[in-house]
């Protein structure tokens, strides 16, 4: 500890992340840290951001759970293949992959974009500058599902997400499929909700082919019977509002995460003081 109360830690050059495990000081440089009092203030500030991110996550999960429940029961059933098509995504070339800064680079959704909760994981997005066909470009509210799974548990196989508006025109890879309805595009919400149910999870695993790499044959989706609830339009209106709110919270959380990661080195260096920041509840 320094005379003025400051402490120091080592920073690993390979990661650039402050490391408080003092035994790792090979190939390292000494980095000054703020006083203990300031460190506690920093922890409280960043903790408030993490609390808000966690609160958003719970609200999103609850919204998805409610929508899934209210859109998954009904007396009427329609075979999906009679009202929609299932189309694989782009079989892309590695040379076309980009870091997102290239001219004309488009976001490309892939297996890393899926979660087990029906959310789109934006951190898994790839970027692509190569050639593609119009059918590979996505529109808002379309359902994209995983037709491949590289894990033994097959937890992602058949999982789906709805395309948020900010991903309009994004591409999707051949490990995913998009479902497009002939006329009733509002059924996208029904399908998305019912892909999350235990019944469809069992169906996807039962239809899976392959050992090391599991694949979902088209008939697993095309022969699936979509359940049509009573009071469909009222339920869809409510569901849309809930999904839009969830998307808003997801965007807010992404901004909060970026802010947190940008603040950490500034706070530790003393260029910004925690007392000067105000984190909204």
């Amino acid at each position: 500890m320094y005379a003025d109360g400051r402490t120091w830690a080592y920073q690993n050059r390979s990661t650039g992340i402050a490391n408080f495990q003092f035994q790792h000081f090979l190939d390292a440089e000494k980095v000054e840290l703020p006083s203990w009092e300031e460190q506690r203030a920093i922890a409280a500030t960043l903790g408030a951001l993490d609390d808000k991110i966690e609160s958003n996550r719970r609200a999103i999960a609850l919204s998805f759970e409610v929508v899934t429940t209210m859109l998954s029961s009904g007396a009427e059933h329609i075979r999906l293949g009679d009202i929609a098509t299932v189309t694989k995504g782009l079989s892309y070339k590695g040379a076309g992959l980009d870091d997102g800064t290239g001219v004309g680079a488009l976001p490309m959704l892939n297996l890393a974009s899926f979660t087990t909760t029906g959310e789109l994981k934006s951190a898994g997005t790839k970027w692509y500058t190569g050639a593609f066909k119009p059918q590979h470009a996505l529109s808002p509210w379309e359902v994209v599902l995983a037709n491949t799974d590289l894990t033994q548990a097959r937890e992602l196989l058949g999982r789906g997400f709805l395309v948020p508006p900010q991903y309009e025109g994004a591409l999707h890879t051949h490990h995913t499929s998009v479902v497009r309805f002939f006329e009733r595009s509002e059924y996208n919400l029904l399908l998305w909700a019912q892909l999350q149910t235990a019944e469809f999870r069992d169906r996807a695993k039962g239809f899976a082919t392959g050992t090391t790499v599991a694949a979902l044959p088209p008939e697993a989706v095309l022969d699936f019977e979509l359940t049509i609830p009573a009071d469909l339009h009222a339920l869809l209106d409510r569901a849309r509002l809930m999904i839009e709110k969830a998307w808003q919270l997801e965007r807010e959380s992404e901004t909060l995460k970026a802010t947190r990661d940008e603040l950490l080195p500034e706070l530790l260096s003393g260029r910004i003081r925690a007392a000067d920041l105000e984190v909204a509840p």
Side-chain angles (χ1 to χ4, degrees), residues 80-160:
L80 190 64
D82 294 336
I83 57 175
T85 61
V86 177
T87 307
K88 273 192 175 184
L90 173 67
S91 182
Y92 64 93
K93 298 183 182 299
L97 293 175
D98 190 80
D99 62 1
T101 62
V103 176
L106 293 173
M108 185 167 63
L109 306 179
N110 56 88
L111 284 182
S113 304
F114 290 89
T115 65
T116 59
T117 57
E119 297 175 61
L120 164 62
K121 185 166 64 177
S122 60
T125 304
K126 297 179 185 289
W127 294 84
Y128 193 67
T129 59
F132 64 93
K133 295 180 180 179
Q135 69 192 45
H136 299 136
L138 299 169
S139 298
W141 295 94
E142 287 187 324
V143 177
V144 179
L145 59 88
N147 59 44
T148 307
D149 197 331
L150 304 179
T151 68
Q152 291 297 316
R154 300 176 178 178
E155 282 300 315
L156 293 182
L157 191 67
R159 294 285 184 181

Side-chain angles (χ1 to χ4, degrees), residues 8-229:
W8 57 266
Y10 286 97
Q11 184 173 20
N12 187 290
R13 289 175 179 157
S14 65
T15 63
I17 300 173
N19 188 341
F20 292 88
Q21 298 179 7
F22 296 106
Q23 68 269 26
H24 301 299
F25 50 80
L26 289 177
D27 190 29
E29 61 186 47
K30 192 178 292 186
V31 174
E32 295 183 5
L33 290 179
S35 67
W36 284 114
E37 181 180 354
E38 180 65 13
Q39 288 184 47
R40 286 193 290 271
I42 291 171
T45 298
L46 299 182
L49 291 174
D50 284 336
D51 288 345
K52 177 57 176 171
I53 293 168
E54 175 59 20
S55 174
N56 286 355
R57 185 197 65 78
R58 292 196 299 268
I60 292 167
L62 179 59
S63 295
F64 284 2
E65 183 178 347
V66 170
V67 171
T68 295
T69 300
M70 71 184 188
L71 294 183
S72 296
S73 60
E76 183 182 358
H77 298 84
I78 302 176
R79 178 180 175 272
L80 190 64
D82 294 336
I83 57 175
T85 61
V86 177
T87 307
K88 273 192 175 184
L90 173 67
S91 182
Y92 64 93
K93 298 183 182 299
L97 293 175
D98 190 80
D99 62 1
T101 62
V103 176
L106 293 173
M108 185 167 63
L109 306 179
N110 56 88
L111 284 182
S113 304
F114 290 89
T115 65
T116 59
T117 57
E119 297 175 61
L120 164 62
K121 185 166 64 177
S122 60
T125 304
K126 297 179 185 289
W127 294 84
Y128 193 67
T129 59
F132 64 93
K133 295 180 180 179
Q135 69 192 45
H136 299 136
L138 299 169
S139 298
W141 295 94
E142 287 187 324
V143 177
V144 179
L145 59 88
N147 59 44
T148 307
D149 197 331
L150 304 179
T151 68
Q152 291 297 316
R154 300 176 178 178
E155 282 300 315
L156 293 182
L157 191 67
R159 294 285 184 181
F161 58 75
L162 290 165
V163 178
Q166 67 267 29
Y167 281 92
E168 182 172 8
L171 308 175
H172 66 114
T173 72
H174 61 289
H175 290 136
T176 73
S177 298
V178 62
V179 179
R180 292 192 168 113
F181 290 89
F182 302 139
E183 295 178 351
R184 305 293 297 272
S185 61
E186 68 269 24
Y187 283 174
N188 279 321
L189 260 172
L190 287 182
L191 176 60
W192 170 82
Q194 292 171 35
L195 290 180
Q196 318 308 321
T197 62
E199 289 78 9
F200 190 84
R201 300 305 317 136
D202 291 341
R203 180 181 180 85
K205 292 179 180 180
F207 270 85
T209 61
T211 51
T212 304
V213 177
L216 189 68
E219 58 267 24
V221 182
L222 293 172
D223 289 338
F224 175 66
E225 290 195 343
L226 197 64
T227 298
I228 312 300

